[in-house]
């Protein structure tokens, strides 16, 4: 199915804009990774994944009608040239909604993720844009449908519609309606995630391209989907029974297995840097000394560590994280 047909099936043929639409969505980090697509048009994955949302670190998006008949894209209060890849991605996504209608938009998007944090903002960005478009066109689509729509912008965005732990099953249906975010009804107040910065420059190879290259050329990729599904099951169970050791060890193994598939790609896809490896060794040493801390790495060199509150002082002293996030700190969040 083509992307536009997917949108046509979900949206009314004619849209009526409201005064404005605004929304917030948190960013998320996968503990069990999405890597590989079974359908490129609809961003359907070859394996399920599970993430933790980053609470107040995410994206605020506001939409209004432009008064000069042009689209305007403003990122963190700075207007972006319409030709930039960032602006083009947003406009293309809005066009799936607008189709032939002339609805010029002014889109203000503000990331609360520090710009130099090395955390991807595409997940929260597309989730917030989807929610804001839903409001702006008074669609009131169910959250499950909004998750499927956000997935078209960026696969991991389908998990950013909720706080807390969110699962994204692989699904089996051709239209992807069974491959959407599903929040876990679990609040784990002692759970922490922190960022260890290695290099915060924009990466040269996007997740999208890296995934395709790995799936197309890595001799290890055929082993990945089954292992990733197994890890996902283990992680879900560990969350349910709050077994942090199993959760942490499986999370770290899962990320390093994903990186092994990339390293085996031809040519090799190397997102990690020397400092990434050196930090991984430090983390192992800390564990040998009895500090329970585990790493995960996305398509980049930076490390995110997970740990429990009781270990926070030791981890701050040993690893100097730039940000420590308490995903369950705010009771106002609705996890389901
Ligand atoms: O959603 P994308 O296309 O940015 O891909 C995300 C890929 C990883 O961050 C490496 C894994 C994940 O599940 O978030």
């Amino acid at each position: 199915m083509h992307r536009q047909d997917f949108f046509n099936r979900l949206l009314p043929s004619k849209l009526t804009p409201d005064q404005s639409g605004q929304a917030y969505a948190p960013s998320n980090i996968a503990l069990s990774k999405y890597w590989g697509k079974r359908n490129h048009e609809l961003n359907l994955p070859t394996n399920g994944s599970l993430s933790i949302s980053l609470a107040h670190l995410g994206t605020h998006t506001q939409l209004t009608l432009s008064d000069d008949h042009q689209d305007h894209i403003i990122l963190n209060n700075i207007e972006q040239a319409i030709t930039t890849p960032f602006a083009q991605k947003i406009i293309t996504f809005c066009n799936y909604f607008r189709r032939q209608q002339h609805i010029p938009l002014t889109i203000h998007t503000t990331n609360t993720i520090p710009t130099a944090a090395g955390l991807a903002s595409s997940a929260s960005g597309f989730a917030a844009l989807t929610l804001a478009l839903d409001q702006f066109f008074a669609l009131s689509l169910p959250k499950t449908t909004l998750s499927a729509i956000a997935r078209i912008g960026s696969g991991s965005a389908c998990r950013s519609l909720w706080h807390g732990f969110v699962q994204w099953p692989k699904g089996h249906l051709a239209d992807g309606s069974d491959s959407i975010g599903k929040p876990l009804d679990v609040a784990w107040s002692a759970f922490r995630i922190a960022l260890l910065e290695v290099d915060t420059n924009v990466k040269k190879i996007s997740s999208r391209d890296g995934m395709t290259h790995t799936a197309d050329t890595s001799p290890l990729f055929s082993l990945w989907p089954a292992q990733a599904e197994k890890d996902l099951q283990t992680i879900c169970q560990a969350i349910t029974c709050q077994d942090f050791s199993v959760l942490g060890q499986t999370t770290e193994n899962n990320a390093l297995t994903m990186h092994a598939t990339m390293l085996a790609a031809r040519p090799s896809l190397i997102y990690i840097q020397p400092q990434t490896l050196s930090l991984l060794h430090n983390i192992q040493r800390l564990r040998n000394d009895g500090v329970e801390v585990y790493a995960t790495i996305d398509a980049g060199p930076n490390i995110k560590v997970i740990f429990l509150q009781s270990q926070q002082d030791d981890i701050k002293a040993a690893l100097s994280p730039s940000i420590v996030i308490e995903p369950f700190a705010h009771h106002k969040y609705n996890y389901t």
Side-chain angles (χ1 to χ4, degrees), residues 244-265:
F244 187 73
S245 305
V246 170
L247 171 62
Q249 195 57 69
T250 314
T251 294
E252 188 169 305
N253 286 338
N254 178 272
L256 294 179
T257 304
M258 177 183 76
H259 279 268
T261 69
M262 302 171 183
L263 290 168

Side-chain angles (χ1 to χ4, degrees), residues 28-37 43 47-51 120 122-123 126 150-151 153-159 168 203 206-209 211 224 254 258-259 262 271 296-300 304:
N28 75 74
I29 298 295
L31 304 180
S32 179
K33 307 291 186 191
Y34 149 56
W35 196 248
K37 300 178 206 247
N43 279 343
N47 62 274
S49 58
L50 182 141
S51 60
S122 68
F126 278 112
R151 192 193 63 221
S154 156
S156 54
C158 77
R159 301 185 305 235
W168 171 21
K203 60 191 173 214
S206 66
S207 313
R208 183 175 297 238
D209 292 345
M211 232 177 257
W224 165 254
N254 178 272
M258 177 183 76
H259 279 268
M262 302 171 183
Y271 284 113
T296 185
I297 315 169
D298 290 303
K304 293 96 191 179

Side-chain angles (χ1 to χ4, degrees), residues 41 60 115 215 324:
E41 270 300 289
H60 290 274
T115 318
V324 177

Side-chain angles (χ1 to χ4, degrees), residues 104-118:
L105 293 170
T106 295
I107 304 176
H108 274 271
T109 177
T110 312
N111 290 325
T112 55
I113 305 166
T115 318

Side-chain angles (χ1 to χ4, degrees), residues 182-330:
K182 185 171 163 270
L184 269 58
D185 190 11
V186 173
W188 193 343
S189 60
F191 189 92
R192 298 285 181 276
I193 179 159
L195 181 74
L196 311 182
E197 285 176 23
V198 170
D199 180 348
T200 55
N201 291 315
V202 176
K203 60 191 173 214
K204 291 190 187 71
I205 301 175
S206 66
S207 313
R208 183 175 297 238
D209 292 345
M211 232 177 257
T212 306
H213 176 65
T214 308
D216 288 350
T217 71
S218 172
L220 298 189
F221 187 76
S222 59
L223 302 172
W224 165 254
Q227 184 59 51
E229 285 294 339
K230 224 165 139 185
D231 291 343
L232 173 60
Q233 295 315 319
T234 308
I235 285 176
C236 280
Q237 264 169 30
I239 290 172
T240 308
C241 45
Q242 306 218 333
D243 184 336
F244 187 73
S245 305
V246 170
L247 171 62
Q249 195 57 69
T250 314
T251 294
E252 188 169 305
N253 286 338
N254 178 272
L256 294 179
T257 304
M258 177 183 76
H259 279 268
T261 69
M262 302 171 183
L263 290 168
R266 301 177 183 203
S268 190
L269 182 57
I270 314 176
Y271 284 113
I272 51 174
Q273 292 182 11
Q275 204 197 333
T276 316
L277 272 181
S278 146
L279 282 166
L280 285 173
H281 283 291
N282 284 349
I283 290 163
Q284 281 190 341
R285 268 195 296 272
L286 275 172
R287 279 206 297 272
N288 291 340
D289 292 344
V291 182
E292 271 224 276
V293 54
Y294 299 91
T296 185
I297 315 169
D298 290 303
N302 301 300
I303 292 191
K304 293 96 191 179
V305 281
I306 59 170
F307 54 91
L308 294 177
Q309 188 205 351
S310 53
Q311 312 274 285
Q312 186 154 314
D313 291 346
D314 285 341
I315 285 156
K316 277 189 172 169
L319 297 171
S320 310
S322 52
I323 312 172
V324 177
I325 299 146
E326 299 183 24
F328 299 95
H330 301 282

